[in-house]
Amino acid sequence: MSFEQTYDVAVLGGGPAGIAAAISAARSGAKTILVERYGFLGGMSTLALVYPWMTFHTATGQQVIRGIAQEIVDRLQQVNASPGHLRDTVGFVHTLTPYDPERYKLLAFEMLEEAGVELLLHSVLTDARMEKGWIQAVTVRSRSSPLTIRAKAFVDATGDGELAYLAGAPWEFGNERSKVQPMTMKFRMKGVQLEAVKRYMQQHPQEFYEKSLIDQLDELPLTGVSGFFSLWKQADLPLPRDGVLFFTGPGPDEVLVNVSRVSGLDPLKAEDLSKAEIEGRKQVFMLESFFRQWIPGFEHAYVSQVGTQIGIRETRRIIGEYVLNGEDVLSGARFPDCIARSGYPIDIHNPEGKGITANFIREGGAYDIPYRSIVPKDVDNLLLAGRCISTTHEAQATTRLTPSCMAIGEAAGAAAAITAQNHTAARDINIQQLQQRLIASGAELGI
């Protein structure tokens, strides 16, 4: 590869949103490159062990996310790397989708290659070259030397809105006190006796989240557990949580633990992120001891994997042509420029203390994500994908979930291809053309 390359579409960031965006752009006929800083793809799903995927469905069981996201699930099922969509026995959402992260990494490579996407790993975005509101080129630093990437359209799937920030787009951060949701170091434990967990749940139903499907555990596979409230209280660990949360799999004696919490730090500051990584790993092994001592079925369990990095829920939110808000989500708002839908509730982990604020969509429905929320202000040829799209703090607590990010990414990639092909600003593309392209690929827009 020479020191300068030209494409129709450049996607920055190889997480679930970036993968879907690059595949979508390439399938739309655009010469596409995907740039990722790690040596593998998957973003928070593989880096931080965000598992399982939640959710492709509404609370009433209607599937509202399909397209490339569903294609990924289907292909994982074909190689026995996912059982598909299962009922969430926590009861927080209707379904969750377990998957094997190592197989997902490989599948992403395969699907990008099939689509004709050029892939550049081990490369970090460092600069954006602007001219009258248009990104002319970006600079990435690889392990050898800086590379200039020119493109007609760009997709920011960095998670942190790095490209939009470098391009001068306006942005917001956190709640009204500029505090973001806490970070979590997720980890897996093996050697878990899940039958013992299930028996304890059936004998002590009051110890678990009120919506847990405990009365259905003889018919349903145990997929998730939220509770052990009194045992957690007795153990008195120095963590601002009210109980235990874990999800089963992908192995038969394996769980993914989502309990650690690192609050009060800024994930955009290297010094704060460094502190979070250290504190998160300390919490992992404190929690291993807790589980072995206190939780039935974990007596002989052990930590088998810790995230490559700490999980980040929230950083920059780029301000777009429309800012999706909490009332839009809860009312199940419909928009004429809908490019994706989601049935996930507002799920805010308290930035400054204990607990989670959960608000559910009315009548168990879904809300639209409008195209205007993936079009940033002040930058003409940039689309947003993933957790950095234009929302409020409240709405971001649902759009940040992986299936939603996949659906948003697919739309952003298709829109970037249209932007490049028509030599027009992203805000000016024909929305009906974009929607028709998404529907043709299997997306559920409800129109």
Side-chain angles (χ1 to χ4, degrees):
M1 183 177 287
S2 67
F3 295 112
E4 183 168 307
Q5 293 287 323
T6 301
Y7 300 88
D8 296 319
V9 174
V11 180
L12 284 300
I19 293 166
I23 293 170
S24 179
R27 288 180 178 177
S28 297
K31 181 183 178 183
T32 304
I33 185 172
L34 173 61
V35 180
E36 165 59 35
R37 63 174 171 157
Y38 286 94
F40 56 90
L41 302 174
M44 289 291 112
S45 288
T46 53
L47 282 168
L49 306 183
V50 175
Y51 171 98
W53 290 329
M54 301 168 66
T55 175
F56 286 66
H57 296 76
T58 66
T60 58
Q62 178 190 4
Q63 186 165 351
V64 291
I65 296 176
R66 295 184 189 271
I68 290 173
Q70 181 60 47
E71 183 182 343
I72 288 171
V73 175
D74 292 342
R75 291 187 60 167
L76 288 171
Q77 285 187 268
Q78 290 169 11
V79 293
N80 297 316
S82 173
H85 310 305
L86 303 178
R87 287 300 303 274
D88 171 24
T89 54
V90 171
F92 190 73
V93 293
H94 190 78
T95 65
L96 47 72
T97 311
Y99 64 96
D100 182 326
E102 298 304 322
R103 289 281 191 166
Y104 175 46
K105 290 176 186 176
L106 179 58
L107 177 63
F109 286 150
E110 292 171 347
M111 292 181 68
L112 290 164
E113 183 178 11
E114 292 165 5
V117 175
E118 189 169 324
L119 182 61
L120 184 63
L121 301 175
H122 297 292
S123 299
V124 179
L125 173 68
T126 60
D127 191 27
R129 190 180 306 167
M130 302 295 297
E131 186 176 314
K132 297 180 179 179
W134 290 74
I135 304 174
Q136 300 298 313
V138 297
T139 302
V140 299
R141 178 168 288 278
S142 69
R143 294 180 64 84
S144 54
S145 59
L147 170 70
T148 297
I149 298 175
R150 294 185 175 274
K152 297 173 184 175
F154 294 81
V155 177
D156 187 335
T158 62
D160 296 329
E162 287 288 343
L163 178 53
Y165 169 74
L166 290 172
W171 54 285
E172 296 179 328
F173 181 86
N175 60 15
E176 66 279 358
R177 291 165 50 85
S178 297
K179 302 293 184 181
V180 296
Q181 294 191 59
M183 293 174 271
T184 293
M185 184 67 79
K186 297 191 178 186
F187 62 98
R188 284 195 165 88
M189 297 186 74
K190 289 185 69 68
V192 182
Q193 297 176 319
L194 290 175
E195 283 301 317
V197 174
K198 185 187 297 187
R199 284 196 302 272
Y200 187 91
M201 293 177 70
Q202 292 171 326
Q203 293 165 4
H204 305 85
Q206 73 282 358
E207 283 292 299
F208 297 89
Y209 178 58
E210 59 187 6
K211 294 185 178 183
S212 296
L213 306 184
I214 297 175
D215 61 346
Q216 301 180 47
L217 288 182
D218 287 333
E219 295 80 36
L220 293 175
L222 180 67
T223 56
V225 177
S226 175
F228 291 102
F229 297 129
S230 67
L231 299 181
W232 178 263
K233 186 175 181 180
Q234 289 176 55
D236 194 27
L237 295 184
L239 293 178
R241 300 281 301 220
D242 296 316
V244 165
L245 176 64
F246 61 84
F247 299 93
T248 63
D253 66 339
E254 190 173 26
V255 302
L256 186 286
V257 179
N258 181 354
V259 178
S260 101
R261 180 173 284 190
V262 180
S263 302
L265 297 175
D266 182 349
L268 294 177
K269 294 179 179 178
E271 57 271 29
D272 276 14
L273 194 53
S274 299
K275 293 176 184 176
E277 298 283 5
I278 296 167
E279 173 60 25
R281 291 180 195 279
K282 289 180 180 178
Q283 291 183 11
V284 166
F285 290 97
M286 176 178 65
L287 286 164
E288 180 190 50
S289 297
F290 159 77
F291 272 89
R292 289 168 62 98
Q293 179 180 350
W294 290 89
I295 304 299
F298 283 79
E299 292 84 358
H300 304 290
Y302 58 93
V303 170
S304 57
Q305 184 183 14
V306 183
T308 301
Q309 71 157 72
I310 198 165
I312 298 172
R313 292 183 173 89
E314 180 183 16
T315 54
R316 294 186 188 93
R317 303 189 313 278
I318 307 303
I319 299 174
E321 296 294 318
Y322 182 79
V323 180
L324 187 74
N325 62 60
E327 180 56 29
D328 292 333
V329 171
L330 298 180
S331 66
R334 303 305 312 268
F335 296 100
D337 59 338
C338 170
I339 48 85
R341 307 196 73 207
S342 176
Y344 193 86
I346 291 177
D347 171 22
I348 302 177
H349 295 242
N350 190 339
E352 301 178 75
K354 286 187 177 182
I356 296 173
T357 300
N359 291 299
F360 294 86
I361 303 168
R362 292 169 196 164
E363 300 179 358
Y367 64 91
D368 287 358
I369 298 170
Y371 177 67
R372 288 163 294 157
S373 288
I374 69 170
V375 178
K377 287 185 175 295
D378 301 338
V379 187
D380 291 324
N381 59 335
L382 177 63
L383 281 303
L384 307 171
R387 70 171 186 252
C388 70
I389 72 167
S390 179
T391 68
T392 62
H393 172 71
E394 290 74 24
Q396 192 267 352
T398 162
T399 58
R400 67 181 173 84
L401 274 292
T402 305
S404 302
C405 289
M406 290 176 171
I408 294 166
E410 179 173 1
I418 294 172
T419 297
Q421 290 157 357
N422 293 349
H423 304 282
T424 186
R427 72 177 65 84
D428 295 329
I429 71 168
N430 185 301
I431 298 301
Q432 288 72 35
Q433 180 187 4
L434 172 60
Q435 290 172 329
Q436 289 167 5
R437 189 169 292 186
L438 293 172
I439 291 170
S441 76
E444 287 282 346
L445 302 185
I447 57 176

